[in-house]
Amino acid sequence: MHPYILPLSTQFTLYQNKERAVAAKAYMRNQFEYFGMEAACWRQIVKAHLKNTPPPDYNRLVAIVQELWQLPQREYQYAAVEIIAAQKKLWQKDIIELVEYCIVYKSWWDTVDHIASELTGIYFKLFPGQVESVTGRWNKSSNIWLQRSSIMFQKFYKKETDTSLLAAYILNLAESGEFFVQKAIGWALREYSKTNPAWVKKFVSTNKLASLSSREALKRVS
């Protein structure tokens, strides 16, 4: 195990809860192992780790995150996202390759949505020249988690949302039968409705979307 990860692993093991771990594994369809910590607990451990441990350089960051992603307990993957997010000063344009690795391996809604919240939206603000080439490729991918990420990366952009891009990406995937893609469409539109409800209402009324997407999109629109 990488020396950077050892103190984190020690704390995770110390605070594990086997009963909660069994329940968490069952909730996630038995896809992942867990230490069984509440989110507040693992977040506090990671926060203290980041504060007390010298930050890695760029190459070590990539190696650390990849190793965390291979470890069995899901909290390691949550920690990996937090560690990438905490090292924004180290980010280079090609950090998106590491982010994409985290999206497509051990994929499920928990890590993909965590990445959308902490990484992708911020990355494309820092490297706007990457938006169309990277998210366009994601949107056209056959991987549903990359598709979901292409729709969700703008979810906190508010007035800075590129509605033309959002609309194009949604319409490209509007006929998808994948639950997680339909849900992402609705979620992205619902978030934008907090900023521009009229645009969202018109978009939903003038385009054929899955009922799940439409229902989610209009939850906050009167």
Side-chain angles (χ1 to χ4, degrees):
M1 182 173 285
H2 196 288
Y4 183 90
I5 301 173
L6 281 172
L8 193 64
S9 181
T10 299
Q11 290 297 303
F12 280 180
T13 303
L14 182 63
Y15 286 93
Q16 67 182 322
N17 182 313
K18 293 182 179 180
E19 184 176 339
R20 285 183 57 86
V22 170
K25 182 178 179 179
Y27 177 68
M28 300 299 276
R29 302 183 182 180
N30 296 311
Q31 296 181 95
F32 315 107
E33 300 297 329
Y34 281 85
F35 282 108
M37 293 176 287
E38 294 184 358
C41 181
W42 67 254
R43 285 184 185 279
Q44 186 58 42
I45 291 171
V46 174
K47 183 178 179 180
H49 180 73
L50 289 165
K51 181 180 180 181
N52 298 326
T53 309
D57 59 28
Y58 187 75
N59 290 332
R60 287 178 65 227
L61 174 64
V62 173
I64 287 164
V65 169
Q66 289 179 338
E67 182 171 343
L68 284 166
W69 221 261
Q70 294 302 317
L71 292 171
Q73 287 87 353
R74 196 59 164 166
E75 289 90 347
Y76 283 125
Q77 283 89 69
Y78 302 156
V81 176
E82 297 287 319
I83 288 168
I84 300 172
Q87 309 301 336
K88 293 181 184 68
K89 291 182 179 180
L90 295 178
W91 285 13
Q92 301 173 16
K93 188 168 68 172
D94 64 358
I95 193 75
I96 196 63
E97 296 173 11
L98 179 63
V99 173
E100 185 169 326
Y101 169 87
C102 295
I103 293 172
V104 300
Y105 289 99
K106 294 191 175 180
S107 309
W108 201 241
W109 62 265
D110 56 340
T111 51
V112 171
D113 293 359
H114 193 187
I115 289 166
S117 297
E118 301 293 336
L119 303 180
T120 55
I122 298 167
Y123 172 83
F124 291 115
K125 289 285 188 184
L126 293 174
F127 302 98
Q130 292 283 89
V131 172
E132 291 192 17
S133 61
V134 175
T135 64
R137 177 171 55 80
W138 289 357
N139 189 251
K140 295 174 182 177
S141 168
S142 60
N143 184 295
I144 65 168
W145 303 108
L146 291 177
Q147 293 173 359
R148 184 174 171 97
S149 298
S150 75
I151 293 167
M152 290 171 49
F153 81 93
Q154 294 193 85
K155 68 176 185 173
F156 295 136
Y157 280 15
K158 299 182 180 179
K159 291 182 179 180
E160 296 180 347
T161 298
D162 183 335
T163 53
S164 295
L165 196 65
L166 178 63
Y169 285 178
I170 288 173
L171 294 178
N172 285 346
L173 297 169
E175 295 183 2
S176 172
E178 292 287 350
F179 171 85
F180 289 108
V181 174
Q182 292 181 7
K183 190 80 170 181
I185 290 171
W187 187 7
L189 289 170
R190 186 176 75 240
E191 286 300 314
Y192 188 55
S193 75
K194 299 173 185 178
T195 299
N196 193 339
W199 186 93
V200 172
K201 189 173 183 178
K202 182 178 179 181
F203 181 83
V204 172
S205 67
T206 56
N207 293 286
K208 185 178 180 181
L209 303 177
S211 58
L212 172 61
S213 300
S214 297
R215 187 168 61 251
E216 289 290 326
L218 299 175
K219 275 188 175 180
R220 294 179 176 269
V221 177
S222 57

